[in-house]
Amino acid sequence: MGDGAAAPPILEARGLGRTLGAGDAATRILDGIDLTVPRGQFVALTGASGSGKSTLLYLLGCLDRPSEGEVIVDGRATSRLDDDARARLRNQKLGFVFQFHFLLPEFTAEENVMIPLLQAGRSTEEARARAHEVLARLGLAEKARRRPSQLSGGEQQRVSIARALSNRPEVVLADEPTGNLDSKNAENVFQVFTEIAASGLTIVMVTHDVGLADRTTRRVEMKDGRIIGDRVH
Amino acid sequence: MRTVLFIALRHLVSRRRQTFVAVAGMAISVVVLVAMTGLMMGFQMKFFGETLKVSPHLTVTDEELEPPEPVAERHLGARSVAALLHQRPAERPQRIKRPNTVVRAALRLPGVVAGAQQLIGQAILAYAERTYPVEIRGIEPELQDRVTPVRGYVTAGRFESLTTQLDGIMLGSGVAQKLGVTVGDRITAAGPRGTRVSLKVAAIFEAGIPPVDKTRAFVQLRTAQSILSRADEVNSIGFRIVDTDEAPELARVIGAVSGYRAESWQEQNANWIGLFAFQQLITRMVIGFLLVVAAFGILNILIMIVLEKKRDIAILRSIGLTRAQILRVFLLQGALMGMAGALLGCLLGAVVVWAVQRIPVKFEGLVKTDHVVMYIEPWFYAAASAFAVGAGLIASILPARRGAATEPVDVLRGQA
């Protein structure tokens, strides 16, 4: 289904399938997905609820293992990697943004952004400096010391974007990042993604919002666990 | 490890109240462990310390290991038609034959430093209208002082007077009190065969062990032999040794050499040692239960954190933390709570020990003391701390494994 992009792919799905449960209770969530995402592309995954968008995103992000097929991240096949190697891969190559910001409530905004950096082995000073840099880029420098509960919904989501970007990932995977925001905040957050994409970062974003999807560089439409449309804008 | 520590500490600090309750539970266990061990050890050390000062480390008794064959049996023989069914006990009390040889032989053994012969028997002391039964011990004062240094316990009169006066008697403080006598008074001692000897109170001692102070009186060996009507007889030889732990082995050797039953101080105090061991077992069980309860406090809070933090665990996994790191986050929390409990418990324990030792409690039972006796060694604190950290760690295993097993996708899909 890939559209022959010139750039070498950062993400690839080959014959990807995912079945949940076993025997009579088995449910086929994804079936025969082939997808190639070149570097720098802003891809929107769209489709109705239950179409398999989020499952595909989790598989591409090495959070889940496929029932069959292969996910290749930056040229590296991931199906045979052990849990630790997949965790390292997520830390080094991928950044995640979820519908509900999912910030750690005990930590300040700055500390939330620092955790992937500390995990990557950066010193506390380096991690703090980088966290400030990313938060400032997203207009949150003043609120770095606040806890998530002291931030608005839009601010919380921007902090979670900052966390995803902090370790300079190759790809940001976003699962309906605007789904829980009002239209104004949703637009602001989408603008952030647009700017990130413009800087050359690859983004794969699950969204229900067709309007937003049409403003990305590529829209992949799914239905019943299959890709039914793939359009580059 | 830095990320793990960062997260673990923040989890604990963000739940200050619950963490404090769990830590306090552990601290109380540590305090009880230290204080109870100190009390138990203090009492035991006091008891055995005092006992070993007034009792020999090992004693050769007058019981022969291979008693001679009864005369009647010796004459009847195997082919006789008559049989000896029951022999009436000999009227003559038992004694140790050739006691000087036994002492000399024992003193040649390595580790045996002093030996002294005694004749021990029962006598009635009388002063004015008052009479009182005592265990009278005939001793060679200077030699005896090397085996059981009673000289240091003399509270009135002089120990040396016992050496120089053949009619001198040294009474336990309880005996003197019962008779109402003081140093210089003359009393009468009556033996089991009716011999009456006039004695002068030369000294009064107080060993601090009421059963000894209330029953014992010392006279010269020859005087005791007169009172008990047992001329030139000895029925006990006491020995002092260098290492008290070697007493059972030396007792076995001396017994074999002398032909008489030799008892170590451990054997003589076997009832007390057994009682103390049982007491220790009970105390350890109580402390063990306390630790288990404290560990449940930690288990409880960690299970709560794991259940509440499933979403956070999923996020941490998504940003690259491994299962092992998640496991360590919770194990570390258990260990940290154990450590905090140990630290707080050791500090409180030191205060409790300091305070309890100063409580003026007059106690007169097995030992006599005017304050609570405690014996504390640094390793009590170290052991209590190790138990606390261990209990914290063990309590965190289950929640940690549960946390580490969390599948991020299940949480993100809303299925966990």
Side-chain angles (χ1 to χ4, degrees), chain A:
Chain A
M1 278 293 203
D3 66 351
I10 182 70
L11 278 180
E12 264 188 281
R14 289 184 192 162
L16 214 54
R18 183 74 173 104
T19 305
L20 291 181
D24 292 343
T27 311
R28 192 79 174 151
I29 305 289
L30 283 185
D31 193 17
I33 299 288
D34 290 307
L35 181 70
T36 301
V37 180
R39 288 173 194 276
Q41 205 167 50
F42 187 178
V43 183
L45 289 177
T46 61
S49 292
S51 59
K53 315 181 288 293
S54 294
T55 301
L56 176 58
L57 194 82
Y58 299 149
L59 287 171
L60 291 173
C62 300
L63 282 170
D64 195 8
R65 285 182 184 274
S67 304
E68 65 262 359
E70 181 68 271
V71 173
I72 299 162
V73 179
D74 200 13
R76 192 175 178 191
T78 62
S79 63
R80 290 192 179 175
L81 295 179
D82 64 18
D83 270 2
D84 285 2
R86 290 159 71 88
R88 273 195 299 278
L89 188 74
R90 287 196 294 271
N91 181 251
Q92 290 162 5
K93 303 275 181 191
L94 309 171
F96 291 89
V97 179
F98 300 97
Q99 180 177 2
F100 302 98
H101 60 82
F102 285 176
L103 295 172
L104 305 177
E106 295 90 358
F107 296 85
T108 63
E110 179 188 69
E111 288 166 341
N112 265 283
V113 180
M114 283 169 71
I115 289 175
L117 296 156
L118 294 174
Q119 175 63 11
R122 305 279 188 89
S123 71
T124 309
E125 293 71 31
E126 272 182 302
R128 199 179 301 281
R130 171 67 181 157
H132 262 282
E133 182 191 327
V134 184
L135 284 169
R137 187 174 152 198
L138 294 170
L140 291 164
E142 303 288 309
K143 299 185 176 176
R145 297 289 167 91
R146 292 198 186 173
R147 294 271 170 100
S149 59
Q150 296 168 312
L151 300 171
S152 69
E155 287 168 339
Q156 288 171 345
Q157 198 58 296
R158 278 189 284 154
V159 173
S160 75
I161 295 170
R163 183 177 63 191
L165 295 175
S166 64
N167 208 23
R168 297 190 169 89
E170 303 274 353
V171 184
V172 170
L173 300 162
D175 190 5
E176 300 199 41
T178 59
N180 198 39
L181 300 174
D182 59 48
S183 56
K184 188 182 167 198
N185 274 314
E187 179 57 31
N188 288 341
V189 165
F190 186 75
Q191 276 305 319
V192 172
F193 277 104
T194 310
E195 285 163 25
I196 296 166
S199 70
L201 200 67
T202 310
I203 298 173
V204 180
M205 180 178 78
V206 168
T207 183
H208 274 111
D209 191 327
V210 178
L212 292 181
D214 285 339
R215 289 160 65 190
T216 62
T217 52
R218 180 180 173 191
R219 180 180 164 189
V220 176
E221 194 175 353
M222 297 185 68
K223 188 181 179 185
D224 299 333
R226 292 174 177 274
I227 294 174
I228 57 165
D230 189 348
R231 196 172 68 214
V232 178
H233 304 123

